[in-house]
Amino acid sequence: MSEASVTLEKMNLAEQQIRQEQKQINYTTREYPIEVLVDKYLTGIDDNSNELFIPDPHKGMRWDEEHQSNFIEFIFLGFSITGIYVSEVWSENDQDDRKLEMIDGSQRLQTLARFVNNQLTLCNLSKLTQLNGVQFASLSNALQRKFRRRSVRVVQFNPDTTEEDRRDFFERFNS
């Protein structure tokens, strides 16, 4: 359809449809140091009591070690980490407790956790070639602290965000 064939009526109907379908998603934006995010993810992971969890459909590492290494190199080079999206949800075990469900960013979070826990050996780095073959524990204490303190922007949807809206966001963001 050419631009000339789009009528004023069609545009009015499109604007009306946008107003009808548009969602009002309430969220807050926060900055967390890497060490806090990794701690929220790993503390209690064995018994599913961790504050920040990855739902079953999103679990599992899909990035290979080269992709993970490139992400870590990206951080060392000083680039801003793409935001992570979470939603505050009620805990299954305690109705007075809320947890953070990962909506988008699970590969980034798992990579950070693997690196900080010496489960990732950096490889095939193109710029910081001296870090090839290095694990986190091999870094100086100063460099470890600097890495752990790097902040990550977290967009946190409020608990009134429906499961359908969370799923829709994930599918659209990752398609």
Side-chain angles (χ1 to χ4, degrees), residues 30-94:
R30 300 172 183 196
E31 298 276 334
Y32 287 107
I34 288 172
E35 66 186 339
V36 170
L37 285 175
V38 168
D39 183 64
K40 287 178 180 292
Y41 170 61
L42 291 178
T43 301
I45 196 169
D46 293 334
D47 64 0
N48 291 323
S49 66
N50 49 337
E51 182 180 351
L52 174 57
F53 71 98
I54 299 172
D56 287 337
H58 310 294
K59 281 186 180 172
M61 180 54 73
R62 290 185 300 278
W63 286 0
D64 62 21
E65 292 213 344
E66 185 173 349
H67 194 142
Q68 293 174 65
S69 295
N70 284 326
F71 176 66
I72 299 300
E73 180 182 46
F74 185 78
I75 295 168
F76 276 123
L77 291 171
F79 290 101
S80 175
I81 303 169
T82 306
I84 289 177
Y85 292 82
V86 300
S87 185
E88 193 174 11
V89 296
W90 296 107
S91 173
E92 289 179 9
N93 304 331
D94 182 353

